[in-house]
Amino acid sequence: MSILNLLPALSRLSVRAIPGVRNISACTDPLYFRVSSVLLGEPLKKKKRIDPAIIRAREDRRRRKLEKQIRRLQKLSKQLKPISEIEVPSKLIEEKEQRLRKLPPISEEEMDSRILLQKDWNRYKTKQHLANIQTIDSIFYSQQKALDELRAESEDLYQEAIQLDLGLLPYTAKGPLKTPPIENYDNPDGEYTNTTRKFDGEE
């Protein structure tokens, strides 16, 4: 059988749908139509019209749920994390009545004396505070008056006077240490166990 007799059969093979294979051609001529797989499409479903009252009720329900979650988070944010180092042991709580000092009652004369002493102390601290404020105000007034006089004389000197003294910053000071350093001390690498408690929300 010659190749010319096979051409019609090959051309018919090119237009047949072969399972699992797309766009198969066994002929030399260009294809004018192709066979593709079924896409199994269907028309879009028509949207149902919902009552606006139902939509509004759903939005209100969702908003109330979010507000409730926000209130719960805000309430939890005010609670401080417990620190085991400063918690009072239960043994001390049980011995509170035994450890409590029973002081004698204070007489009325002693109470009046303490009240008068507290008032005298308050008056003394008030006068001291007012005197400090007056001193600071007088210093600021004298400084501003001197700057005004300097500016009236020379603007350049005034601009130089109001510049910051960069020699004062940064300020470093080294004082005596609690213990003197040890010369040629080899600091060993110690081992430790992390006992930090983990709370909800922490990684």
Side-chain angles (χ1 to χ4, degrees):
M1 183 181 291
S2 63
I3 191 64
L4 296 176
N5 295 329
L6 292 175
L7 287 177
L10 294 175
S11 63
R12 287 195 299 273
L13 180 62
S14 64
V15 298
R16 292 178 183 175
I18 302 176
V21 181
R22 295 182 60 186
N23 300 332
I24 298 298
S25 176
C27 65
T28 58
D29 297 334
L31 293 176
Y32 295 103
F33 57 91
R34 300 171 183 269
V35 178
S36 61
S37 60
V38 181
L39 298 178
L40 301 177
E42 63 178 353
L44 298 176
K45 293 183 179 179
K46 188 177 181 180
K47 294 183 178 180
K48 297 181 180 180
R49 296 188 62 184
I50 304 176
D51 189 6
I54 298 177
I55 298 176
R56 193 179 306 108
R58 290 178 181 176
E59 293 178 354
D60 293 341
R61 195 181 307 114
R62 189 182 300 110
R63 185 173 61 254
R64 287 195 298 269
K65 186 177 180 180
L66 291 175
E67 290 176 353
K68 184 178 179 181
Q69 293 178 356
I70 291 173
R71 287 196 300 269
R72 186 171 68 253
L73 291 176
Q74 289 177 350
K75 187 183 297 183
L76 293 176
S77 64
K78 296 179 181 180
Q79 296 180 0
L80 301 178
K81 295 181 180 179
I83 303 176
S84 58
E85 289 82 0
I86 63 175
E87 289 182 355
V88 181
S90 58
K91 183 178 180 181
L92 295 180
I93 297 177
E94 295 174 357
E95 297 177 354
K96 178 181 178 181
E97 296 297 332
Q98 300 176 5
R99 294 174 177 269
L100 189 63
R101 293 183 179 180
K102 296 181 180 179
L103 300 176
I106 302 175
S107 61
E108 294 184 0
E109 292 79 6
E110 181 66 21
M111 185 69 69
D112 295 339
S113 175
R114 292 184 180 184
I115 293 174
L116 294 175
L117 183 62
Q118 183 68 28
K119 290 182 178 180
D120 292 340
W121 176 253
N122 290 338
R123 282 191 290 267
Y124 168 74
K125 296 302 291 184
T126 302
K127 291 180 181 179
Q128 186 181 21
H129 177 66
L130 293 176
N132 291 335
I133 292 178
Q134 292 177 357
T135 303
I136 294 173
D137 289 342
S138 64
I139 292 174
F140 281 157
Y141 176 76
S142 301
Q143 182 184 20
Q144 188 62 38
K145 184 177 180 181
L147 289 175
D148 294 340
E149 293 292 337
L150 182 62
R151 191 169 193 177
E153 292 293 332
S154 174
E155 183 68 24
D156 295 337
L157 295 177
Y158 172 76
Q159 294 297 332
E160 289 292 334
I162 62 176
Q163 295 298 323
L164 295 177
D165 188 2
L166 300 179
L168 298 177
L169 298 175
Y171 174 75
T172 57
K174 184 176 181 181
L177 303 177
K178 292 183 179 179
T179 56
I182 302 175
E183 296 182 358
N184 301 326
Y185 176 71
D186 186 12
N187 188 10
D189 295 333
E191 297 181 357
Y192 69 96
T193 303
N194 189 2
T195 59
T196 304
R197 296 171 59 186
K198 295 294 184 179
F199 297 91
D200 295 338
E202 291 185 351
E203 296 181 358

